[in-house]
Amino acid sequence: MQTGRHNGHQEHVASYYAATRNDHRQWPELSGELDADVCIIGGGFTGLNTAINLADAGYKVVLLEANRIGWGASGRNGGQLIRGIGHDTSQFARWIGEAGVRELDLMGIEAVQLVRERVERFNIECDLTWGYCDLATKARHLKGFEEDAEHLASLGYRHALKMVAREEMHTVVGSDRYIGGMIDMGSGHLHPLNLALGEARAAASLGVSLFEHSRVTHIDYGERVEVTTAHGRVSADYLVIGCNAYLGDLQPDLGGKVLPAGSYILATQVLEKRLRQRLLPQNMAVCDQNVALDYYRLSADGRLLFGGACNYSGRDPRDIKAFMLPKLLRVFPELAGTAIEFQWGGMIGIGANRLPQIGRLEQHPNVFYAQAYSGHGLNATHMAGKLVAEAIKGESRGFDLFSRVPHMTFPGGPALRSPLLALGMLWYRLKDLL
């Protein structure tokens, strides 16, 4: 949930974002039959940004959301807007070459700029704030930061980066838990649900037809795609599937390549100004480097939003607060006794190689998809929307790069996927202890 995560059994728990949404409009349910150039399934960042890019180019677009706009990870994630797409992109050189890897890394930087431009163009009020810090708990993390800074410099990164020594860490975060960090002023944080709602308004202003509570029950593939809901049908030349961790069995080939993993967030009561300034003096979003990572930041109204604990078991904790509070107190023990006013969770989509899956169905070339952002969805979804729209319009080198990387189907079907990945992640967590 760092930059987009969210889940199954705790969906009914109201998030802080839902309580502070700045737009309460409801879009209609699909009823009857519609014709479109492009039908998009999924009302999160992937679908909304694909729709905006296509509508800008004059396409007639219909977007279908099973629940409410921004209901999934897009509206419930940690709100951290962090550079980068994928994990260890050098591993993909065998398929796309060193030049292709460099292009992926540049797209990871551009993706944040796309969010900045979207907010500015449509004047979206989403508390966008610049400033982010990677946190180190081990010496190898510091070495990784130095390598990251060198690599970013080689890419022409134009935002300020600063290494923070142990003795300076209290200028960033008021905790003794960290031995250093790296500040990046080209990353930051925002209110993700209000961003999604603003993008929905933007899409509608460009002519996109948006429908909520319009779960797709069946897809008929062909030269024109027929998409059926409980009370309507859309016929379109192209289909875009942007459901990520909530795809279910609607498209089994894609569903087998993404594992839903739970992530969780607590929001405290509003903290007094002096305490806020001690906890996060520069109002940055921060994140440690562990597999079961902690990520946190202040909200615009002065709460600490603390998230993490990616859960691969397929089961939610019975009590999110009981599960997460010990992690928060390890970082900020002085918050013992502070009221927790919101707790929520959701599913992020994780792929085996941690690279977003952006492509088209081999057997149905007029069907496109983007999914499996592995916790970096806030920026990566905006890039995916750009690339999918470019591919539908006729050509996209970036789309072609992503589509050349193969993605493993998790073995054993849904019943075995979660236990197998949980076992694999346990190995990485044990390595964290070394």
Side-chain angles (χ1 to χ4, degrees):
M1 222 171 51
Q2 185 185 343
T3 57
R5 323 193 157 181
H6 297 295
N7 113 323
H9 309 130
Q10 298 287 350
E11 310 298 14
H12 63 283
V13 179
S15 75
Y16 163 75
Y17 301 127
T20 55
R21 60 189 292 150
N22 58 17
D23 186 342
H24 293 273
R25 83 180 63 189
Q26 297 192 33
W27 304 98
E29 180 181 355
L30 178 66
S31 178
E33 298 196 1
L34 287 178
D35 240 35
D37 299 321
V38 184
C39 179
I40 297 172
I41 307 174
F45 290 134
T46 299
L48 292 168
N49 282 279
T50 304
I52 288 171
N53 284 296
L54 287 169
D56 265 339
Y59 285 76
K60 182 180 180 183
V61 181
V62 171
L63 183 147
L64 305 174
E65 165 56 42
N67 295 285
R68 299 287 308 277
I69 294 295
W71 176 88
S74 296
R76 282 186 274 144
N77 67 75
Q80 300 209 1
L81 178 60
I82 306 170
R83 69 183 188 279
I85 288 181
H87 298 247
D88 182 22
T89 52
S90 63
Q91 66 182 297
F92 308 118
R94 59 187 289 197
W95 294 290
I96 61 176
E98 296 297 338
V101 168
R102 180 179 173 84
E103 286 188 56
L104 286 185
D105 292 340
L106 287 169
M107 282 190 278
I109 296 170
E110 182 190 351
V112 174
Q113 181 63 23
L114 292 177
V115 178
R116 183 194 298 261
E117 291 170 355
R118 188 73 80 227
V119 169
E120 291 175 352
R121 175 184 171 189
F122 294 105
N123 194 27
I124 299 173
E125 294 182 5
C126 60
D127 306 325
L128 178 56
T129 304
W130 296 104
Y132 166 78
C133 188
D134 281 313
L135 305 174
T137 56
K138 294 180 172 59
R140 70 171 183 269
H141 298 157
L142 296 175
K143 185 174 185 297
F145 297 161
E146 291 169 0
E147 292 170 353
D148 284 348
E150 284 182 23
H151 183 57
L152 286 167
S154 75
L155 295 172
Y157 194 64
R158 61 186 180 85
H159 301 286
L161 298 173
K162 179 187 176 185
M163 296 297 169
V164 186
R166 183 176 214 149
E167 57 271 19
E168 299 176 296
M169 281 304 296
H170 275 257
T171 67
V172 178
V173 55
S175 174
D176 296 324
R177 189 168 172 78
Y178 309 106
I179 64 171
M182 184 175 77
I183 290 173
D184 171 16
M185 295 308 297
S187 297
H189 55 97
L190 51 73
H191 190 302
L193 179 57
N194 284 339
L195 174 61
L197 298 175
E199 291 179 340
R201 292 193 302 274
S205 75
L206 296 170
V208 176
S209 298
L210 296 143
F211 296 95
E212 294 180 323
H213 303 298
S214 301
R215 182 179 300 276
V216 173
T217 56
H218 185 72
I219 302 170
D220 286 309
Y221 300 98
E223 190 171 331
R224 280 181 67 79
V225 182
E226 302 283 337
V227 180
T228 303
T229 69
H231 301 292
R233 174 176 290 198
V234 180
S235 177
D237 296 320
Y238 300 96
L239 175 66
V240 178
I241 300 173
C243 305
N244 200 24
Y246 293 95
L247 177 61
D249 59 2
L250 181 63
Q251 216 303 323
D253 291 343
L254 295 180
K257 292 179 176 9
V258 61
L259 182 90
S263 188
Y264 309 96
I265 302 181
L266 302 179
T268 68
Q269 66 187 71
V270 174
L271 305 176
E272 63 177 37
K273 185 176 181 181
R274 188 178 303 174
L275 178 56
R276 299 198 301 266
Q277 290 176 336
R278 188 164 77 247
L279 300 183
L280 288 163
Q282 300 184 53
N283 192 23
M284 291 184 176
V286 299
C287 180
D288 70 26
Q289 306 303 298
N290 299 316
V291 172
L293 52 79
D294 297 331
Y295 54 90
Y296 48 97
R297 65 185 183 90
L298 295 171
S299 64
D301 62 358
R303 303 169 189 273
L304 180 70
L305 305 185
F306 189 96
C310 207
N311 182 359
Y312 301 89
S313 70
R315 295 192 186 96
D316 290 324
R318 290 182 180 176
D319 184 335
I320 292 174
K321 177 182 172 182
F323 185 58
M324 290 294 299
L325 190 56
K327 301 172 189 299
L328 186 158
L329 295 180
R330 278 200 294 270
V331 178
F332 297 123
E334 66 266 48
L335 294 184
T338 300
I340 302 299
E341 295 191 348
F342 298 92
Q343 51 181 303
W344 70 97
M347 287 292 175
I348 59 170
I350 294 182
N353 63 12
R354 303 301 181 93
L355 183 73
Q357 299 166 11
I358 303 172
R360 69 173 90 202
L361 295 183
E362 186 175 350
Q363 65 275 38
H364 305 295
N366 59 344
V367 179
F368 296 77
Y369 61 87
Q371 62 182 22
Y373 302 106
S374 301
H376 274 263
L378 213 166
N379 69 325
T381 49
H382 286 70
M383 177 56 69
K386 176 177 183 280
L387 298 181
V388 170
E390 286 175 349
I392 289 173
K393 288 185 284 184
E395 186 177 348
S396 172
R397 173 161 170 76
F399 178 91
D400 293 341
L401 284 175
F402 275 97
S403 63
R404 275 157 49 192
V405 176
H407 296 281
M408 184 188 86
T409 298
F410 286 100
L416 273 181
R417 272 179 225 145
S418 290
L420 284 171
L421 190 61
L423 196 61
M425 295 312 294
L426 177 62
W427 163 245
Y428 284 105
R429 290 188 189 188
L430 291 173
K431 287 178 69 177
D432 268 348
L433 301 176
L434 301 178

